């Protein structure tokens, strides 16, 4: 067995000495270090051998969390927000250079929540800036700009999470093994039809199959 385990280094990561458990939890929830298990004894297919048990909100790109703050009247309030990789990174000193407060001159039209920014097309991001919601030292709501390097890191973490889901068939309603089996079956039928057409056997394969001699292309073998 091989275990690859995330461990917090308080000094290098720039966090308090008593926050190892919290930071490990944030690393998991922010898709920085998702739980992934592979057990070859569980079956003959990749889907059977892998699982993502223990990760929150498996079907979503990011889990949700509640941000508590004080409103302009000093009353307690909260927001439900996606917990992205950037939210995890914002909690550690080693990533501090990738965040800064939103300048006062920025209008609301220029700002887009990071999780929404990641879904924008390239021609839609001109003049727009991704931000995170956060709280200041007085627990008042504030917005923080996210640097391009951190945006790319979030996109990479989201892509990796989606890759893990595709391996396990989690959250997308797609049965990869069934698709591969169907593709192999279709290819076998077309090959059979092509062979029968060459040998002149009139009892060829599946009805409706197009013989290779008639110009049909054969699909590649599913991986």
């Amino acid at each position: 067995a091989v275990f690859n385990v995330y461990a917090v280094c308080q000094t290098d990561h720039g966090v308090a000495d008593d926050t190892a458990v919290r930071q490990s939890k944030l690393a998991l929830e922010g898709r920085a270090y998702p739980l992934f298990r592979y057990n070859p004894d569980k079956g003959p297919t990749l889907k059977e051998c892998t699982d993502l048990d223990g990760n929150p909100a498996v079907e979503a790109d990011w889990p949700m969390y509640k941000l508590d703050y004080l409103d302009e009247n000093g009353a307690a309030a909260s927001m439900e927000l996606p917990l992205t990789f950037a939210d995890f990174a914002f909690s550690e000193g080693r990533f501090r250079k990738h965040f800064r407060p939103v300048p006062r001159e920025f209008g609301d039209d220029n700002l887009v929540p990071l999780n929404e920014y990641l879904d924008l097309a390239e021609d839609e991001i001109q003049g727009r800036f991704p931000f995170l919601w956060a709280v200041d030292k007085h627990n008042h709501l504030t917005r923080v700009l996210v640097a391009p390097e951190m945006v790319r890191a979030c996109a990479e973490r989201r892509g990796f999470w989606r890759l893990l889901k595709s391996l396990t068939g989690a959250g997308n309603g797609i049965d990869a093994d069934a698709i591969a089996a169907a593709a192999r079956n279709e290819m076998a039928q077309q090959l059979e039809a092509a062979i029968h057409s060459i040998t002149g056997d009139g009892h060829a394969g599946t009805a409706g199959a197009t013989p290779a001699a008639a110009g049909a292309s054969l699909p590649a073998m599913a991986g």
Side-chain angles (χ1 to χ4, degrees):
V2 176
F3 294 88
N4 189 359
V5 181
Y6 179 80
V8 178
C9 178
Q10 286 87 348
T11 302
D12 289 344
H13 293 186
V15 298
D17 291 341
D18 60 349
T19 59
V21 173
R22 186 194 71 181
Q23 293 308 116
S24 295
K25 186 173 183 287
L26 284 174
L28 168 68
E29 295 179 348
R31 312 303 192 204
Y33 212 92
L35 287 174
F36 176 77
R37 298 180 183 86
Y38 175 79
N39 184 349
D41 295 329
K42 284 192 172 182
T45 66
L46 189 61
K47 180 179 177 181
E48 291 174 293
C49 294
T50 56
D51 73 67
L52 297 174
D53 292 348
N55 291 284
V58 171
E59 295 189 358
D61 285 331
W62 313 106
M64 302 297 290
Y65 81 102
K66 186 172 72 170
L67 178 64
D68 296 318
Y69 64 96
L70 298 177
D71 65 17
E72 60 274 11
N73 299 317
S78 65
M79 297 175 65
E80 289 286 333
L81 298 168
L83 180 64
T84 69
F85 172 75
D87 291 278
F88 155 70
F90 184 62
S91 70
E92 297 198 348
R94 57 178 168 155
F95 298 116
R96 190 165 295 137
K97 65 180 181 180
H98 298 297
F99 304 95
R100 69 184 181 96
V102 173
R104 292 183 180 274
E105 62 269 20
F106 273 49
D108 289 342
D109 292 342
N110 301 113
L111 298 170
V112 183
L114 175 61
N115 64 300
E116 297 178 14
Y117 186 89
L118 291 172
D119 290 325
L120 295 179
E122 188 172 350
D123 59 347
E124 295 177 314
I125 65 176
Q126 298 300 321
R128 310 184 81 177
F129 302 91
F131 76 92
L132 297 177
W133 287 107
V135 293
D136 60 21
K137 61 182 180 180
H138 302 295
N139 210 35
H140 293 150
L141 199 61
T142 185
R143 291 182 290 194
V144 181
L145 287 179
V146 183
E149 295 86 355
M150 184 56 60
V151 174
R152 288 193 291 270
C154 286
E156 188 273 338
R157 287 290 85 196
R158 185 181 67 171
F160 182 66
W161 174 245
R162 290 177 176 179
L163 173 63
L164 292 182
K165 290 201 297 181
S166 72
L167 293 178
T168 63
N172 54 21
I174 297 174
D175 189 334
D177 294 325
I179 293 174
R184 286 192 293 267
N185 184 56
E186 180 184 356
M187 188 189 74
Q189 291 174 357
Q190 293 195 30
L191 283 173
E192 182 184 3
I195 292 171
H196 284 304
S197 70
I198 294 171
T199 60
D201 189 337
H203 302 287
T206 304
T210 303
S217 59
L218 299 181
M221 175 67 77

